Amino acid sequence: MVIMTRTCEPDTRDTDVRVAVSTVIFSVRRDAHDEPVLSLPLVRRTRDPFEGRWALPGGWLDAQESLDAAASRTLAETTGLTPSYLEQLYAFGVVDRSPTRVVSIVYWALLRSDEVDAQVAAHARQDDAPENVEWFDATDLPALAFDHNEIVEYTLWRLRNKVGYSRIAHGLLPDEFTLADLREVTETILGRRLDPANFRRQVDTSDTLIPTERFRTGSHRPARLYRYNRDVELAERGPLTSRL
Amino acid sequence: MVIMTRTCEPDTRDTDVRVAVSTVIFSVRRDAHDEPVLSLPLVRRTRDPFEGRWALPGGWLDAQESLDAAASRTLAETTGLTPSYLEQLYAFGVVDRSPTRVVSIVYWALLRSDEVDAQVAAHARQDDAPENVEWFDATDLPALAFDHNEIVEYTLWRLRNKVGYSRIAHGLLPDEFTLADLREVTETILGRRLDPANFRRQVDTSDTLIPTERFRTGSHRPARLYRYNRDVELAERGPLTSRL
DNA sequence: ACAAAAGTGTTGAGAATACACCCATGG
DNA sequence: CCATGGGTGTATTCTCAACACTTTTGT
């Protein structure tokens, strides 16, 4: 094992690096035609590398916070919200152009659409909408800074994968939701339609949902509201990710 | 986004941290009864935190190397070998006791058992076996330094998972191997016996193996030798991990 | 009554499993 | 020739996608 003493010099010669944390934040929002769109917030860069380009929200890791905490803080600073789901994605050791060495740790998160809507509405009322932050269609992004396009692509792949064997789509929904809600969100993530009958069977054989006695009454037959069963979390994830 | 200037001070006040890379290195070795055992090399610590305890091999990230390269180097320094498979596992942001902040990035790797055997034999001949390095049964470890027990546990879970839907067991075998070899390695990873007939069907419907015209002649009917088909790699992994 | 969504039942195709059976070789 | 592992065939079970069908509401 290589052991180096921590020296104090202006140039980056030894093992000191800076750690950045970025987060791909997904939520399902409605477009002009009221269609659900898988969306993510981006930040416009205001300084040199890639100035003016859109980038993933992020920041530097503080000395006294954990990686997860840094991701949450980043997310709060950008959207003012707490994630309903947060998972580490990958660590990138860029050796590029930068004068100082940077290691970038990427997280991905889900936000409940109702909270996003409320927050955006509040900002609109108080006229304090954050500058340089905008929501984009995750499947139709402009050219981003750094390799952020690839990162989003990978995250999207991971999300689509995970929605198949795990039940995380509820992370985009309020506490209580109908199966149609859950199915619509899942369809938005996957980009294809699902059979309502089979979808119902899959979720209720997986024991991830608790039926309530409440119903949503709409223009047709009322739909039962469900609630997420938090006791399932441990089994389906790995030993480490369950720490979140 | 928070931007901080890089200052030079003796204490860790700002965003500078050190990045360590550790690797869980798996190989299948034979015990005294010639039974295959999923094994990994550990290093005995020679300094203070957890002095004397066994730990995962690792080292500090150099300023000019990528994360993957650092993992490979670490692995070479410990075992003198190149991995047949290398994948990033997780980044840990320990905020503990340490005076300087450390972020630890953990990889896991597979080594071909024939190369390990050759290397160990060479060391034995030249009497230069590395000090403080020993192979352990991955399923029966002593109390390790830091949280390395949990990390190995998670890696083991990941490996067992992956051996189910992907075909990575070949990473533990020589270029040419019989289906019995591959099955034995898979059984060792999973810790349970598999049906030879069904195992055969599964691998040859997955198109990951190329049959050769060579056979291994033993005490019974000769078994056909197979070779791994490298063209499959791209499809089964995610966009990013395929960079390895 | 009717349109439309909620919810149930049925069927068929393909994958996973268990296991019976034949093949080829060294002793 | 026979014990043993290599290799094939087949029946059973299970999961999953497709879709017909019944139920319940608002209009």
Side-chain angles (χ1 to χ4, degrees), chain B residues 112-153:
Chain B
R112 295 166 40 154
S113 49
D114 57 331
E115 290 190 357
V116 174
D117 293 345
Q119 185 74 7
V120 168
H123 276 143
R125 265 200 310 280
Q126 302 182 11
D127 204 31
D128 68 339
E131 290 287 330
N132 295 324
V133 176
E134 227 168 84
W135 286 83
F136 289 81
D137 182 340
T139 61
D140 183 26
L141 294 176
L144 306 183
F146 308 108
D147 50 355
H148 288 186
N149 285 94
E150 293 173 52
I151 292 177
V152 171
E153 212 49 52

Side-chain angles (χ1 to χ4, degrees), chain A residues 1-6 8-19 43 45 47 55-68 73 77 87-93 95 100-101 103 105 107 147 150-151 153-154 157 235-241 243-244, chain B residues 1-6 8-19 43 45 47 56-68 73 77 87-95 100-101 103 105 107 147 150-151 153-154 157 235-241 243-244:
Chain A
M1 183 182 277
V2 181
I3 300 291
M4 303 190 74
T5 50
R6 193 166 191 267
C8 187
E9 311 188 26
D11 58 338
T12 310
R13 260 196 43 241
D14 64 347
T15 56
D16 278 21
V17 300
R18 284 199 295 178
V19 173
V43 179
R45 285 185 62 80
R47 47 188 80 217
L56 294 173
W60 300 111
L61 176 69
D62 278 356
Q64 295 308 326
E65 73 186 342
S66 72
L67 295 175
D68 292 1
R73 177 176 53 79
E77 285 169 5
E87 183 182 314
Q88 196 187 101
L89 185 73
Y90 206 78
F92 296 90
V95 84
T100 60
R101 178 63 189 278
V103 166
I105 295 174
Y107 277 77
D147 50 355
E150 293 173 51
I151 292 178
E153 212 48 53
Y154 180 39
W157 175 85
E236 70 184 20
R237 301 188 197 169
L240 278 184
T241 21
R243 287 180 174 181
L244 296 177
Chain B
M1 182 184 276
V2 181
I3 301 291
M4 301 190 73
T5 49
R6 193 166 190 266
C8 187
E9 311 190 25
D11 58 335
T12 310
R13 259 195 43 240
D14 64 348
T15 57
D16 278 20
V17 299
R18 282 199 297 178
V19 173
V43 178
R45 285 185 61 80
R47 45 188 81 216
L56 293 173
W60 299 113
L61 176 70
D62 279 356
Q64 294 310 325
E65 73 186 343
S66 73
L67 295 176
D68 292 2
R73 176 175 55 77
E77 286 168 4
E87 181 181 316
Q88 196 188 101
L89 185 73
Y90 206 78
F92 296 90
V94 203
V95 84
T100 60
R101 178 64 189 281
V103 166
I105 295 175
Y107 278 76
D147 50 355
E150 293 173 52
I151 292 177
E153 212 49 52
Y154 180 40
W157 175 85
E236 69 184 19
R237 302 188 196 169
L240 278 185
T241 21
R243 287 181 177 182
L244 296 178

Side-chain angles (χ1 to χ4, degrees), chain A residues 6-59:
Chain A
R6 193 166 191 267
T7 56
C8 187
E9 311 188 26
D11 58 338
T12 310
R13 260 196 43 241
D14 64 347
T15 56
D16 278 21
V17 300
R18 284 199 295 178
V19 173
V21 175
S22 304
T23 309
V24 183
I25 306 167
F26 290 114
S27 191
V28 170
R29 313 183 76 218
R30 309 229 162 238
D31 66 8
H33 311 300
D34 209 50
E35 295 290 319
V37 177
L38 187 64
S39 312
L40 51 87
L42 295 174
V43 179
R44 195 197 294 273
R45 285 185 62 80
T46 56
R47 47 188 80 217
D48 192 14
F50 297 97
E51 177 173 349
R53 293 275 271 279
W54 295 96
L56 294 173

